[in-house]
Amino acid sequence: MAPQPSIAKAAFWMALSIASFLAMSVAGRETTRILNVFQVLELRSVIGWFILLPAVLATGGFASMRSSRLPLHIARNAVHYVGQGAWLYALTLIPLGVLVSIEFTTPIWTALLAVAFLGEKLDKARIASVVLGLIGVVIIVRPSAGSLSTGHLVVLGAAVCFGMSVVMVKSLTRTDRVLRIIFWMLVVQSAIGLVPALYEWQNPPLYLWPWIVVIAFTGMSSHLCLARALTYADATLVSPMDFLRVPLSALLGWAVYSEQIDAFTALGAVLVLSGNLLNIQRRQPGPAEAAAS
């Protein structure tokens, strides 16, 4: 039985997802200094599978992971693998703050695809929240007169892939449990990435293994929490919450890499937060809905 819609629970799981994505950003930057992107992705999927295994065995074993929608699982993870590879590659080319900001065109693609394929609605509050969030992102990035670099284009392509992936995850949550979705994510992406990873494989140095474990755990937990959030709210509501990663990434850059937070970044963060608050408040259930839940 599908969970009852809940803005509070969706926000809680999105907060955990955002924390995982932020940790994965730092771990991804550290690991890709030494290892190639395909090897990092393969290690993330394989180690993540072993981390997930106890939960699989505790909930019915491999038999409970069977799905009648395997083609959609494969398609979703093929698209996501391309997006994740592009994201990690862009991380080696452009600053973290710029990468995350450009990545936040994802809700645009998610909203449009959710309307087209899932029949979701874009009301005025949701449109306003997306617009405010994107304006905030533009203010934070403040595009200069220079032309777009390869890194900008690569992460933009990743954002399109992520938008497609979110919509397919939302569709999968209608029939498959979250654990099953994550299980197939790790299995399919391990299979897809095996040959590219082995082609330029190198043994990771000992000091790099903690970062590898972090990226493996957060690579799983970020999507586990995102999928849980999508079981409690529509994709067009959940995705704008992820805008919070922009100001939080700026704070992370300041704390870890001594990147300065200027007035433009602060203003953009305020707009992002305002858009999310507008979206959440607009969707609070009335007394009748609350009583029925």
Side-chain angles (χ1 to χ4, degrees):
M1 187 172 72
Q4 290 295 318
S6 170
I7 302 303
K9 290 180 180 179
F12 170 77
W13 285 108
M14 276 305 298
L16 295 181
S17 177
I18 289 169
S20 296
F21 276 119
L22 292 174
M24 186 169 61
S25 298
V26 176
R29 173 171 285 183
E30 297 302 319
T31 52
T32 52
R33 293 181 193 274
I34 307 297
L35 307 177
N36 71 74
V37 168
F38 295 114
Q39 185 175 348
V40 172
L41 287 173
E42 187 66 14
L43 287 169
R44 187 200 69 163
S45 296
V46 172
I47 296 174
W49 187 86
F50 282 103
I51 294 173
L52 191 70
L53 185 58
V56 172
L57 297 177
T59 55
F62 296 116
S64 66
M65 296 296 105
R66 293 174 182 169
S67 174
S68 62
R69 306 182 72 188
L70 190 56
L72 184 58
H73 281 285
I74 294 173
R76 180 256 162 170
N77 286 295
V79 169
H80 183 262
Y81 182 86
V82 172
Q84 191 66 61
W87 187 87
L88 279 173
Y89 178 57
L91 195 59
T92 68
L93 301 175
I94 56 178
L96 175 61
V98 175
L99 178 143
V100 173
S101 298
I102 296 175
E103 179 192 345
F104 272 85
T105 59
T106 295
I108 296 176
W109 311 115
T110 301
L112 294 176
L113 290 167
V115 170
F117 294 104
L118 300 182
E120 294 186 7
K121 304 296 184 182
L122 272 178
D123 58 23
K124 292 180 180 179
R126 288 180 175 180
I127 293 172
S129 70
V130 170
V131 170
L132 281 173
L134 289 177
I135 291 174
V137 168
V138 170
I139 291 175
I140 292 172
V141 176
R142 300 190 305 282
S144 63
S147 60
L148 289 176
S149 70
T150 300
H152 297 147
L153 297 176
V154 169
V155 75
L156 184 60
V160 176
C161 291
F162 291 154
M164 296 170 63
S165 177
V166 169
V167 171
M168 285 189 275
V169 168
K170 177 60 180 177
S171 177
L172 286 168
T173 60
R174 294 175 175 176
T175 56
D176 287 3
R177 293 182 299 126
V178 171
L179 185 63
R180 185 182 299 153
I181 293 172
I182 303 304
F183 173 84
W184 284 110
M185 181 187 81
L186 297 172
V187 169
V188 173
Q189 294 193 25
S190 293
I192 292 174
L194 180 60
V195 172
L198 292 177
Y199 184 73
E200 294 186 7
W201 184 272
Q202 58 177 309
N203 292 326
L206 185 61
Y207 72 86
L208 200 61
W209 277 103
W211 288 117
I212 293 173
V213 172
V214 168
I215 199 171
F217 179 80
T218 56
M220 177 191 64
S221 63
S222 59
H223 297 284
L224 177 65
C225 294
L226 173 61
R228 287 292 294 173
L230 288 167
T231 64
Y232 290 108
D234 288 345
T236 46
L237 173 66
V238 168
S239 290
M241 293 182 190
D242 204 29
F243 277 127
L244 288 170
R245 259 200 299 146
V246 177
L248 291 176
S249 293
L251 288 172
L252 184 65
W254 171 78
V256 177
Y257 301 111
S258 300
E259 298 173 355
Q260 296 301 310
I261 302 176
D262 56 23
F264 289 99
T265 301
L267 175 60
V270 168
L271 289 175
V272 171
L273 289 170
S274 298
N276 279 276
L277 288 173
L278 174 64
N279 198 21
I280 292 172
Q281 290 177 356
R282 172 65 179 81
R283 290 283 298 169
Q284 288 293 339
E289 292 175 273
S293 63

